[in-house]
């Protein structure tokens, strides 16, 4: 029986389950341009509204992997382990974590993305280092993984091309937030990348895709099962994203904060999450006897960072971009900061120029928000809450519209919220 796009859309629209043959056909036909964008948009919306069962998600993921190449990392002698975050505000953890885990003896193949909307992208942050190159050939990728043990670069065109096309479509059709589509999108790229083990950082809160911990748990469970079904040893941590991570949200300023962590300092929450994820990655890679805290303190992770940046033509000693304008946001009342809303700060950084509205837009390396106060800090009227940095003064007023209400000041502190909420795996 022949399959056609309208029947596939109708099946899901009416609450049915898609057969393996329908899934294989629709993703293959979409990648080849036989199924049109408007048909795939309708199917994505039907999936968002009706969901998919575990068999459908597994088959959808396998078909996305099969749409492109699968990297072969068998030449790498160290155990391979990667980390993926579902995206948050101030989430620079990949930057200190990748060289740290490599310095502990694993090989970390990090294929990363650029930011879209209020969440930042690792490649945009690294591109603020003069000379650094995001695009590597597959041969360069495997070579650097074998020698340095750490690579952060952009995914090649050949990896899960069905996802590349579908993700761009979801972004403009209000269909990003479907758990089956998010899980299959992330896992198809990670499985195709060839990593042996994977640790997922699933963010929950105002600054994350998943606003509720039930949804985040469901996403984490789905991804852990997909990874394991494809032979990738996968675990997930559920972590808080109601508050930005660390004190910086932007590009160059997030690299500078990551360097503080690699030098043995940095904000407590960034250090805590870096070490927790490093421990999970080392366990998953069979290296649980290595203590990442000791390796961080020894300076070896900083040495690996410098090697990793140089291997991609970056100058780790070059001065980074500084913003032309700095606006200071001050407290208008005294008390205790009880909340710093991640979404409000993420949007402010984006409006200052740190993020992009369309994929092809450039980002400003220097723009962003530097927090001076975090939840639990006492403030007096007039104290600096945050600095808003930008190259274009005309952007400050709209950034203030979201940065100002992001701070809640109350007379009494609220109980501290744990950063790591749960572990699934
Ligand atoms: N990141 C991805 O790679 N895909 C999604 O669908 C969401 C976040």
């Amino acid at each position: 029986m022949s399959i056609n796009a309208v029947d596939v859309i109708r099946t899901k629209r009416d609450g049915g389950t898609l057969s393996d043959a329908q899934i294989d056909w629709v993703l293959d036909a979409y990648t080849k341009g036989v199924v049109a964008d408007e048909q795939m948009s309708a199917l994505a919306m039907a999936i968002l509204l009706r969901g998919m069962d575990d068999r459908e998600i597994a088959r959808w993921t396998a078909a996305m992997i099969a749409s492109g190449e699968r990297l072969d990392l068998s030449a790498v002698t160290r155990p391979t382990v990667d980390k993926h975050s579902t995206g948050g505000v101030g989430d620079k953890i990949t930057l200190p974590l990748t060289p740290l885990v490599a310095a502990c003896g694993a090989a970390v193949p990090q294929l990363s993305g650029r930011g879209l909307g209020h969440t930042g992208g690792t490649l945009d942050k690294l591109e603020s280092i003069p000379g650094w190159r995001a695009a590597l050939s597959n041969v360069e990728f495997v070579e650097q993984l074998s020698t340095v043990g750490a690579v952060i670069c952009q995914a090649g065109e050949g990896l899960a091309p069905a996802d590349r096309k579908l993700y761009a479509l979801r972004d403009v059709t209000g269909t990003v937030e479907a758990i089956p589509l998010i899980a299959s999108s992330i896992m198809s790229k990670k499985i195709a990348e060839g990593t042996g083990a994977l640790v997922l950082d699933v963010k929950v809160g105002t600054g994350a895709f998943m606003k509720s911990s039930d949804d985040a748990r469901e996403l984490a469970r789905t991804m852990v099962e997909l990874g394991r079904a494809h032979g990738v040893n996968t675990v997930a941590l559920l972590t808080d994203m109601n508050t930005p991570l660390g004190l910086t949200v932007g590009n160059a300023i997030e690299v500078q904060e990551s360097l503080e962590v690699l030098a043995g300092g940095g904000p407590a929450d960034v250090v805590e999450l870096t070490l927790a994820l490093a421990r999970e990655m080392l366990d998953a890679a069979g290296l649980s006897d290595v203590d990442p805290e000791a390796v961080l303190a020894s300076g070896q992770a900083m040495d690996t960072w410098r090697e990793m940046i140089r291997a991609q033509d970056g100058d780790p000693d070059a001065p980074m971009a500084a913003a032309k304008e700095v606006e200071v946001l001050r407290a208008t009342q005294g008390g205790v900061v009880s909340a710093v809303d991640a979404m409000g700060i993420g949007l402010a950084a984006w409006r200052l120029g740190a993020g992009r509205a369309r994929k092809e837009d450039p980002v400003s390396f220097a723009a962003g928000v530097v927090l001076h106060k975090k939840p639990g800090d006492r403030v007096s009227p007039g104290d600096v809450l945050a600095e808003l940095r930008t190259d274009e003064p005309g952007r400050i007023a709209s950034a203030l519209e979201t940065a100002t209400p992001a701070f809640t000041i109350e007379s009494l502190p609220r109980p501290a919220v744990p950063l790591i909420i749960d572990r699934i795996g």
Side-chain angles (χ1 to χ4, degrees), residues 251-334:
N251 295 305
I253 50 179
E254 290 201 34
V255 173
Q256 282 155 344
E257 188 168 78
S258 304
L259 287 170
E260 287 170 24
V261 174
L262 287 166
D269 56 350
V270 180
V271 176
E272 179 188 345
L273 191 52
T274 303
L275 289 175
L277 289 165
R279 285 193 190 97
E280 291 291 350
M281 289 171 77
L282 292 169
D283 275 356
L287 295 168
S288 18
D289 49 335
V290 186
D291 175 10
E293 197 166 2
V295 173
L296 186 61
S298 74
Q300 287 166 273
M302 179 67 101
D303 294 343
T304 304
W305 161 269
R306 296 173 64 82
E307 261 185 86
M308 177 180 88
I309 296 302
R310 278 210 201 91
Q312 287 169 247
D313 303 329
D315 177 356
D317 299 310
M320 313 241 329
K324 297 195 181 93
E325 290 288 325
V326 180
E327 172 83 10
V328 169
L329 174 63
R330 293 182 189 276
T332 51
Q333 66 182 93

Side-chain angles (χ1 to χ4, degrees), residues 170-188:
R170 286 165 55 211
D171 197 42
V172 293
T173 55
T175 51
V176 168
E177 296 88 346
I179 289 178
L181 296 179
I182 297 177
S184 55
S185 165
I186 292 172
M187 294 307 291
S188 62

Side-chain angles (χ1 to χ4, degrees), residues 105-123:
V108 187
Q110 259 283 340
L111 296 180
S112 295
R114 291 176 200 284
L116 197 62
H118 73 282
T119 62
T122 300
L123 299 181

Side-chain angles (χ1 to χ4, degrees), residues 67 76 109 213 218 289:
S67 72
V76 181
S213 42
E218 174 62 13
D289 49 335

